[in-house]
Structures are given as C-alpha cells and as structure tokens.
Amino acid sequence: MNLSIKHLLGLEGVPRDDINAILDTAFSFREVLERPIKKVPTLRSITVLNLFFENSTRTRISFELAEKRLSADMVNFSASGSSLAKGETLRDTVQNIYAMKVDVVVMRHPVPGSVKLLSQFVDAVVINAGDGTHEHPTQALLDMMSIKEKCGSLEDLNVAIIGDIRHSRVALSNIYGLRTMGANVLLCGPPTFIPYGVESLGVKVTYDLDEALDFADVINVLRIQKERQGKGLIPSLREYRNVYGVTQQRLSKLKKTITIMHPGPINRGVEIDSDVADSEHSIILHQVLNGVAVRMSILFLLAGGK
Ligand code: CP
C-alpha cells in the first residue's frame, strides 16, 4: 500500500485514501499489539531519529514503542544537553545528525512550520510530532482510529471539539482529518479560544457547551494551553470550569450517551471532571493504545519501502 505523501507534516490536504490506508494498517498493527510477542521485523534496516525540542509523555513514548515494535534502530535527541545551548542552529544540528545516516526523523518543536523546514534540510522521511500551535497529525489519526473503533464510521458523525481551539495543534489536525473523512465538526469554547474565521475550514462554532453536547456523538475535550497563550483570555480557571467544564451533572441532562475523548495531558477538574474522564463512555486510554498502532502504521507506510 503506497501513500501519496512522502512526509507526514500535517493533515491539511492529505487525501481520504491516504487516511483510510493509515487507519486500516493501524488496525492490523493493533492486532500485533495484542499478541504475546508484540514485535515484527518490518523496519529492521531502518534508523529513526526522535528529535524532541518540547516536553512530551504520550507522543514520545508512543513513537519509541512503535519503532521498537517494528524492529527499527532508534536514536533519541533532547534539546536539553545538546549543542543547541552553545548556539548551534536547528539546521546545523539536524544536518549533523543526518550525516550519520538516518532514514526517518520524528520531530516535536515549539515553532509552527519548523517540521516543514526540516523536510527541506534532509532527505529522510519527516514526521510531525507536534509543531507549536500548527498541527499534530499523528494525534488526529489516533483520534480518528479510536472514533472508528467505537462508532464504526466517521462519515456524518457529529464530533464536537471543546476547549482551547485557538492554541491547539490537536484541534487543527482533527479539523482537517475529520472534515476529509466526512464528519461534521462543531467547535466550542469561549470566544477568546476560537480562531477568527475558522468556519472557512468547514466547521461550525458555538460558545454554548450545552448546544455542543446536544449536537455531539463524540466530544474531544482539550486542555487550556497555558504555555502558548498570553494572560487574560479567560477570567479564571474556576469560571472556565463553571461554563465549559464537562461534568457528569451536565451530561446526565442529556437523553443519550456521548463518547468522551481527550488527547492528554488532562487537567482534571478544569476542562473535564475525573468521573467523566474515567467513565465507561470514555475512550481516553484506547486513544493511547491506538497511538502506538497509528505510529507503527505511519512509520511502515512511509519508511517501509526505503
Ligand atoms: N497528546 C499529546 O501530544 O501528549 P504529549 O504532549 O504528552 O505527547
């Protein structure tokens, strides 16, 4: 199975056939992850460099596990402890590492567009593990896989993304992916958290959480991205929780059940309460498991033929 893309820089413009191929392959790798021996020799000749310039728990561990499960050789790089502190540029850092012959570079970086720039410096496959407020395509793919697993299809499904949309790369990648796959997307949050003109991406907007919950088959709840925003966008966390917090009390008013998602890290008691995040309708930990399968799929489809 071949993809039309050479790198995974984002989901903007990635065709439906590619997304279907990634998700179908990920479901096959999910079966591998359920086996007693969870390893296949598929990428035995491939070397992957994981470049993380920003904190990560789920994405980093998930990529590392995916690479190990596929028998790839891997090298991990963290910005702290590197020669970046001595004034070396990203370009020099990456080109020096690339000279050591790597086939795939997975990068998380705080600057939007940095991953695309990287793809112009090196002849390796480049995979975006989150570039600032821009995109986080592997997260959106694992989100779509988890929705498909739970609901069967994405076509015409009503998905509400709730919270800090403006500073979230997860939101943008989900919008591109879900719209390509035929889902209806409603964004919900305070006006300061909704990007101006976002409706042009084919989504609807509401500032009313109850309206979003009425609409939704699935909700994807986002944390407030404190590290990426100025002060004063919301009066207080307590006020935010009162108006936009997903609580059991709100959900129990509905005459239906909603599938609950969150990309993590969760700020319990702010955007979502613990009894909702841990409820039987939550698929948050399925998202984490599917993250390994989706990353195996992407590594296999982009680097398997190298
Ligand atoms: N969802 C996600 O990207 O989590 P990490 O920041 O822990 O990788």
Side-chain angles (χ1 to χ4, degrees):
M1 213 178 307
N2 285 328
L3 300 182
S4 70
I5 51 173
K6 179 172 185 278
H7 308 285
L8 183 66
L9 307 179
L11 289 189
E12 183 179 12
V14 173
R16 196 175 178 134
D17 284 352
D18 280 2
I19 294 179
N20 273 326
I22 293 168
L23 299 185
D24 290 349
T25 308
F27 278 112
S28 303
F29 280 126
R30 249 298 289 274
E31 286 170 29
V32 173
L33 295 176
E34 308 289 350
R35 292 180 196 159
I37 296 172
K38 301 174 179 58
K39 200 160 176 157
V40 287
T42 318
L43 292 189
R44 211 163 32 195
S45 58
I46 296 293
T47 305
V48 185
L49 169 64
N50 298 312
L51 277 176
F52 277 73
F53 293 91
E54 222 188 44
N55 296 342
S56 170
T57 300
R58 279 146 291 268
T59 310
R60 183 175 186 146
I61 293 175
S62 181
F63 266 112
E64 286 181 23
L65 267 178
E67 291 149 13
K68 284 178 193 277
R69 301 293 188 227
L70 291 169
S71 308
D73 292 322
M74 52 171 238
V75 183
N76 290 319
F77 170 94
S78 295
S80 63
S82 74
S83 289
L84 284 166
K86 300 176 197 160
E88 188 168 69
T89 62
L90 171 63
R91 181 181 185 145
D92 281 336
T93 300
V94 173
Q95 283 185 329
N96 274 275
I97 301 170
Y98 184 64
M100 299 179 211
K101 305 279 179 215
V102 297
D103 303 293
V104 182
V105 184
V106 174
M107 185 165 89
R108 169 168 289 192
H109 197 281
V111 176
S114 50
V115 182
K116 182 164 186 191
L117 197 67
L118 172 69
S119 70
Q120 292 157 8
F121 297 160
V122 295
D123 193 27
V125 169
V126 174
I127 300 175
N128 186 357
D131 61 334
T133 52
H134 179 226
E135 283 220 44
H136 192 352
T138 58
Q139 177 69 46
L141 287 162
L142 74 87
D143 289 344
M144 288 191 283
M145 177 181 179
S146 306
I147 297 173
K148 261 190 104 163
E149 187 180 29
K150 175 79 180 177
C151 304
S153 168
L154 294 161
E155 188 77 51
D156 275 333
L157 200 72
N158 291 341
V159 181
I161 305 175
I162 299 166
D164 183 1
I165 315 291
R166 182 167 152 195
H167 302 95
S168 171
R169 54 196 175 205
V170 174
L172 192 56
S173 287
N174 262 278
I175 291 169
Y176 288 132
L178 288 167
R179 290 300 297 132
T180 300
M181 299 306 286
N184 308 309
V185 179
L186 178 66
L187 308 180
C188 175
T192 46
F193 281 178
I194 305 289
Y196 180 74
V198 72
E199 293 89 343
S200 67
L201 300 180
V203 299
K204 293 202 162 58
V205 170
T206 179
Y207 307 123
D208 178 346
L209 178 58
D210 290 319
E211 188 185 324
L213 296 177
D214 269 341
F215 158 88
D217 301 308
V218 175
I219 56 172
N220 200 350
V221 186
L222 307 177
R223 77 184 166 91
I224 300 172
Q225 315 273 314
K226 284 190 220 119
E227 72 277 24
R228 298 201 193 100
Q229 59 181 252
K231 293 201 182 341
L233 294 181
I234 50 167
S236 68
L237 289 182
R238 189 198 294 188
E239 175 80 6
Y240 183 83
R241 181 191 183 277
N242 287 341
V243 182
Y244 290 103
V246 179
T247 62
Q248 203 61 59
Q249 195 189 6
R250 273 184 195 276
L251 293 174
S252 61
K253 286 190 285 185
L254 301 168
K255 294 187 182 62
K256 61 175 182 179
T257 54
I258 296 180
T259 298
I260 311 292
M261 301 175 69
H262 193 304
I266 300 176
N267 290 144
R268 290 171 183 263
V270 181
E271 71 271 11
I272 191 167
D273 277 3
S274 280
D275 52 358
V276 177
D278 302 332
S279 74
E280 60 180 318
H281 304 299
S282 163
I283 57 168
I284 293 171
L285 292 179
H286 288 81
Q287 290 173 262
V288 178
L289 174 61
N290 288 337
V292 180
V294 151
R295 287 162 182 133
M296 287 172 81
S297 166
I298 291 157
L299 287 161
F300 167 68
L301 289 170
L302 290 178
K306 274 182 94 76

